[in-house]
Amino acid sequence: MRNSQPSGERYDRSYFDRWYRDPKTRVKSGIAIRRKAALALSMAEYYLEHPVHTVLDVGCGEGNWLSALRSLRPKIRYTGVDASTYAVERFGKKRNIRLGTFASLEEIGLKEDYDLIVCSDTLFYLPLGELEQGIASLASRAAGVAFLELYTGEDSLIGDFPNEGLQSASFYRKLLTRNGFLSVGSHCYLGPDMAERAMQMEQT
Ligand SMILES: C[S@@+](CC[C@H](N)C(=O)[O-])C[C@H]1O[C@@H](n2cnc3c(N)ncnc32)[C@H](O)[C@@H]1O
């Protein structure tokens, strides 16, 4: 399923129809995204000790997290970034989604920091060089919590995965720790400046 097309072309309308809309093949639902959004918001607000105001969602696709987040926090300021020209042409203006990749986060005029960073169902698709670069850019912008959803070769999964295979949990743990992220469970990580807020038994 993974091929050599640039990601901007591969993630076209038919990709989103297949995995998000067609009842026979879809693996995503609005309810599941809302649950993840509720988890990420609660975790961020617990550590920040104030409501989440700003969210950066990288690899946001069609920006499905926006409606989930707004249903829970109507005033949230959302910025999405995605490599899909289809998604940005269709939803960019309406949902504040910019065209960009994990490798170009320093070049697309993002803010210095965000209360909540989201990378849902995206990071494990990236070439490793781009993953390293992206994680470093996100670490420097993580004022609160980052929801970094990562699947590993040790997980049992259904869906669309890279041909080159998934990395191990220990690979991802080392990468995130090297960049100052601290795991507090369920795909949630404190950014480097927040890490000291977690008590020993909150860390995983
Ligand atoms: C499985 S979809 C996930 C979309 C959304 N985050 C969600 O949870 O529904 C993967 C997304 O990653 C984006 N993507 C793939 N490679 C990327 C890259 N190098 N930089 C930014 N986005 C990328 C694709 O365009 C696609 O929208």
Side-chain angles (χ1 to χ4, degrees):
M1 294 207 255
R2 182 121 171 133
N3 58 33
S4 56
Q5 275 175 286
S7 55
E9 291 164 33
R10 175 174 174 250
Y11 295 95
D12 57 9
R13 187 171 189 142
S14 65
Y15 174 92
F16 289 95
D17 284 344
R18 176 174 189 186
W19 297 111
Y20 289 78
R21 283 182 276 274
D22 184 337
K24 290 195 213 95
T25 49
R26 71 181 170 210
V27 290
K28 299 280 195 168
S29 77
I31 292 172
I33 291 176
R34 199 164 183 274
R35 283 194 196 110
K36 289 182 195 179
L39 167 71
L41 282 170
S42 298
M43 197 66 112
E45 291 177 352
Y46 171 71
Y47 284 103
L48 283 165
E49 298 178 355
H50 65 69
V52 166
H53 301 299
T54 52
V55 179
L56 174 65
D57 183 0
V58 185
C60 65
E62 295 179 336
N64 293 332
W65 272 65
L66 175 59
S67 60
L69 290 163
R70 285 255 168 90
S71 70
L72 298 160
R73 301 288 182 279
K75 290 187 178 159
I76 233 154
R77 293 199 298 282
Y78 174 91
T79 304
V81 177
D82 202 277
S84 163
T85 44
Y86 149 75
V88 175
E89 271 166 23
R90 185 161 179 207
F91 295 109
K93 224 171 183 171
K94 211 157 125 198
R95 301 184 180 168
N96 195 28
I97 303 173
R98 298 174 193 197
L99 189 63
T101 65
F102 282 86
S104 71
L105 294 176
E106 299 304 321
E107 296 149 32
I108 57 172
L110 295 175
K111 269 162 46 75
E112 272 176 22
D113 53 45
Y114 294 84
D115 293 337
L116 173 63
I117 289 177
V118 175
C119 299
S120 180
D121 202 3
T122 295
L123 288 168
F124 50 86
Y125 291 110
L126 300 177
L128 296 185
E130 185 172 2
L131 175 66
E132 290 264 359
Q133 217 177 330
I135 291 292
S137 292
L138 296 178
S140 71
R141 289 183 168 74
V145 161
F147 180 84
L148 306 175
E149 197 173 20
L150 280 158
Y151 301 143
T152 76
E154 293 123 61
D155 295 313
S156 156
L157 301 158
I158 304 168
D160 173 34
F161 298 106
N163 278 345
E164 57 272 26
L166 295 161
Q167 303 299 315
S168 66
S170 104
F171 173 90
Y172 288 129
R173 286 203 177 101
K174 281 185 197 143
L175 169 66
L176 293 165
T177 304
R178 205 161 56 237
N179 283 280
F181 281 115
L182 179 75
S183 171
V184 284
S186 300
H187 300 305
C188 293
Y189 298 83
L190 297 186
D193 295 340
M194 274 301 234
E196 64 190 27
R197 298 214 186 171
M199 301 289 123
Q200 290 300 312
M201 297 302 288
E202 291 176 310
Q203 304 172 31
T204 63

